[in-house]
Each structure stands twice: as structure tokens, then as C-alpha cells.
Amino acid sequence: MPGDLELVSEWRHFGGWMRQYAHESAAVGGLKMTFNVYLPPQAETGPVPVIYYLAGLTCTGETGAQKGHFAKAAAQRGVAIVYPDTSPRGAGVAGEDDDWDFGTGAGFYVDATQQPWSKHYRMYTYVREELPALVTEHLPIRKGKAGIFGHSMGGHGALTLAMRNTDKYASVSAFAPICNPLEVPWGVKALKGYLGDDRATRAEYDATNLMVRMMAVPKSWYNFVDQGKADKFLDQQQLTPHVLQEACEKKGQSMQLRIHEGYDHSYYFVSSFGEEHINFHADAL
């Protein structure tokens, strides 16, 4: 059953409200989690559809809320946006603050199976189950299918959550996602650290692998990816969007991959195309 939400702060924003809430999370072993949510003006008269935004490495639930500039389009379309954190906080796991790309701020939206991570690092269950139950219980957010999108590590999370749960998500999009973490340095480090050496277990969190294995792609499911051509992590082979595109083509899934000349990996890139992503999801919802 959903627990209670504590309102931490709120700001009037494009006729609606940007709010930050805190709650105790069973999914991450009883730690306190925070998230941001934008409620558009339409939420004052009834439940509205929702889109979940998953941020990338080193980020928090405030990053997308402050830097993504999604709220204006969300207010115009009457959709809420929920911004989860990127990992548990204060788990006290030895080494969780040693590296920027593993541990705190780098939960990779997986349910860890390896000690000492498995008690608290369960962001897949948190985003898939606990957080939606909380927001639909306590906030004017419509139950049913949602949209989901994200950036970098969060793009990886959005893609894998959507592919594994097509009954829960009507649409998925991503900015510069990690598309094949089984094979790239960021992904190998994180997935092995959280999930161990079993490749089949790690493959459950790899969008390219999941697309290859999908029995059937729902006709109503939408997939949209933006990538900056000047992104240094694209050059370093951390992202590999064309590998995912090839897997989609083989499966008959239409993937709209747009490569943008001159754009990098930053929120200058994300915010430049955020309105299009909001409209993409609002159309599907």
C-alpha cells in the first residue's frame, strides 16, 4: 500500500505547481526518497495524465525539473511530469560515493542482486511500482498508462522500463540514452557491479537486447530518440543509438532517431527539444 507524502516545498509555475515531496520508501529498504512533480493548471479540476522523467548520472529529481524546461509545454497540454531521484540516498554502502558513475546518483534504474547493493539499490521497482502507486493515490494524477522519458542513464532507464512493461507505458522517448549497456564501459561497470557476472540477468536491463528478444511490439507503442552529434560520449561509444535503431528495424519497430548537428550531452541540448518530447507523449496519452 502507498505510504504518506511529505510536502517539502512548492513553487507556482506556468499556472500550475512544481512541488517536491519526500516519503519513506519500502522499495529501497526504508530510506527516505524525494521526487519533484509538476502539476499543470488542469490538475486543479481533475486527474491528469502523467509522464515520468528519469535523469542521468550525478543528477537528482530536481535536475530535470530545473533544467529541462518541460513545464510550459506540460501546462499547455495538461500533463503532469514526475521527476524521481536517480538513486537511494544515505544507504551507507561502502564505496557508494567513490565514483561518479556508480553508487550515489548512479542507480541505473536496476534492482541490484549483489551484496551490499541489493538492500537499497532497487530503483527499477521504485520507479515501476512504488512511485506510481504513491502519486496516483495522493495527487491528481490519472491511473493507467503513462509516458516515460529520460536523459543518458535515464534514457536507458526509460527504454528498459518501457520495453519490459508495455502494459504500463503508452510511449517512451530519450535524450542521448545508453542503448546497449551490456557492451559499453558505463554499462559494463554498473550492471556487473549491481547484478554480477550472469549475462542473462544483466540483459534484462539492456534496451538493444530487449528489443531483439521482444516477442511482439505493440502497435500502439511509440519510440523516439534525440541525440546530439557533438556529444563526446557518442564519440566514446558509451551511447550507441544506431545499434538500438538496427535492432528496432529488424523487429519491425519504428524508432525515430534524430541526430542534431552541434548539440552535446548537456541540458542545453535537452531543453532545446523538450517541448517536442512533451507533445510526443501527450499525443500518445
Side-chain angles (χ1 to χ4, degrees):
M1 293 293 291
D4 295 326
L5 292 182
E6 171 195 349
L7 179 63
V8 177
S9 54
E10 63 179 356
W11 306 267
R12 199 70 166 158
H13 197 37
F14 289 107
W17 292 95
M18 182 70 76
R19 291 175 175 159
Q20 185 179 80
Y21 289 96
H23 66 97
E24 289 188 3
S25 169
V28 299
L31 298 177
K32 179 172 280 191
M33 294 291 288
T34 62
F35 67 91
N36 282 44
V37 57
Y38 178 68
L39 296 171
Q42 296 86 340
E44 296 181 4
T45 58
V48 296
V50 63
I51 309 168
Y52 291 86
Y53 176 79
L54 308 185
L57 291 164
T58 75
C59 295
T60 71
E62 291 189 76
T63 308
Q66 293 182 0
K67 296 182 177 181
H69 301 296
F70 306 128
K72 182 178 180 179
Q76 292 171 341
R77 297 302 302 270
V79 295
I81 308 176
V82 173
Y83 303 87
D85 205 342
T86 56
S87 77
R89 302 284 166 171
V93 176
E96 68 179 348
D97 296 321
D98 290 353
D99 297 320
W100 68 277
D101 56 355
F102 186 78
T104 302
F108 263 80
Y109 304 100
V110 306
D111 281 351
T113 60
Q114 301 299 297
Q115 296 290 346
W117 309 99
S118 56
K119 180 178 180 180
H120 297 297
Y121 279 73
R122 296 179 53 81
M123 292 301 294
Y124 178 83
T125 292
Y126 177 73
V127 173
R128 179 184 184 272
E129 298 289 347
E130 187 174 52
L131 186 57
L134 279 167
V135 299
T136 56
E137 176 74 17
H138 295 290
L139 301 175
I141 286 177
R142 191 179 73 191
K143 294 182 179 180
K145 286 190 175 183
I148 189 166
F149 70 141
H151 173 230
S152 194
M153 177 187 73
H156 141 77
L159 290 167
T160 55
L161 277 152
M163 289 181 186
R164 291 177 62 177
N165 301 279
T166 56
D167 59 324
K168 291 183 176 291
Y169 301 104
S171 52
V172 58
S173 69
F175 302 93
I178 305 170
C179 296
N180 193 194
L182 274 172
E183 308 296 344
V184 304
W186 276 343
V188 170
K189 178 179 180 177
L191 297 189
K192 281 194 173 184
Y194 293 130
L195 303 169
D197 291 331
D198 183 61
R199 187 175 176 87
T201 301
R202 289 183 278 125
E204 293 299 312
Y205 298 99
D206 182 291
T208 300
N209 188 278
L210 288 168
M211 177 54 62
V212 170
R213 292 164 46 209
M214 287 182 80
M215 295 299 293
V217 179
K219 292 182 179 179
S220 61
W221 193 64
Y222 301 91
N223 189 4
F224 176 30
V225 172
D226 275 326
Q227 173 65 59
K229 191 173 182 179
D231 187 332
K232 67 180 181 180
F233 301 118
L234 181 67
D235 293 338
Q236 294 172 8
Q237 298 296 307
Q238 295 279 21
L239 308 173
T240 62
H242 290 97
V243 175
L244 176 60
Q245 185 180 43
E246 290 173 6
C248 288
E249 290 174 351
K250 290 179 181 178
K251 207 67 180 181
Q253 162 67 13
S254 176
M255 173 181 164
Q256 185 178 2
L257 173 62
R258 307 191 309 181
I259 306 295
H260 300 278
E261 189 75 36
Y263 286 90
D264 62 6
H265 200 73
S266 72
Y267 270 85
Y268 293 112
F269 158 61
V270 172
S271 61
S272 295
F273 303 100
E275 181 178 355
E276 295 174 65
H277 283 250
I278 297 301
N279 287 329
F280 168 77
H281 290 285
D283 288 344
L285 295 169

